[in-house]
Amino acid sequence: QVQLVESGGGLVRSGGSLRLSCVASGPIMSIDDMAWFRQAPGKQRELVAQVMGSSKAVYGDSVKGRFTVSRDNAKHAIDLQMNNLKSEDTAVYSCRARGVRRNEFETFTAEFWGQGTQVIVSS
């Protein structure tokens, strides 16, 4: 089965930086769509950044200009560089994969999620 594992979360002071990584493993030939989401306590999950194929990245409004997403298609990975962090960035960050191609004939219909990694920004 396909698994996603995130890493890189932690505690950082306001204005600091963190880099998150997510790697997908399992029977994967390619992944169409990878994205980072986050969910803060008491709030709905929101999109942080998304990259579909070789298309330009899409960012949530609250992180534009501060976060940069990058994909390594060969490694089935997506990274999120977070700069100038603010207290409101505190959340559990999770990566998602959709359009996971098992081979040239089969594509998983399900979307896959990682367990999440906690980011805490202290003011």
Side-chain angles (χ1 to χ4, degrees):
Q1 185 63 298
V2 174
Q3 291 186 322
L4 275 66
V5 178
E6 303 100 336
S7 61
L11 174 64
V12 64
R13 289 183 179 238
S14 180
S17 299
L18 279 176
R19 187 176 184 86
L20 306 182
S21 295
C22 172
V23 179
S25 63
I28 302 170
M29 182 180 76
S30 64
I31 302 175
D32 290 342
D33 176 357
M34 295 192 79
W36 282 99
F37 285 78
R38 69 184 182 186
Q39 186 166 22
K43 294 188 177 182
Q44 288 190 326
R45 184 165 59 195
E46 63 173 344
L47 175 69
V48 177
Q50 179 182 25
V51 182
M52 290 187 288
S54 57
S55 301
K56 190 176 180 180
V58 173
Y59 295 93
D61 288 341
S62 60
V63 306
K64 286 179 181 177
R66 300 187 298 122
F67 290 12
T68 303
V69 67
S70 59
R71 281 188 61 173
D72 184 331
N73 292 327
K75 295 182 179 180
H76 310 313
I78 184 170
D79 287 354
L80 184 69
Q81 177 64 43
M82 305 185 294
N83 297 328
N84 190 22
L85 283 159
K86 305 175 181 179
S87 57
E88 51 263 43
D89 295 317
T90 295
V92 174
Y93 287 70
S94 302
C95 66
R96 182 200 69 189
R98 296 193 303 186
V100 179
R101 299 176 187 266
R102 186 186 184 102
N103 52 53
E104 61 181 296
F105 304 110
E106 301 173 272
T107 300
F108 290 98
T109 56
E111 58 185 35
F112 299 94
W113 290 83
Q115 294 286 346
T117 185
Q118 177 75 57
V119 171
I120 300 174
V121 184
S122 63
S123 55

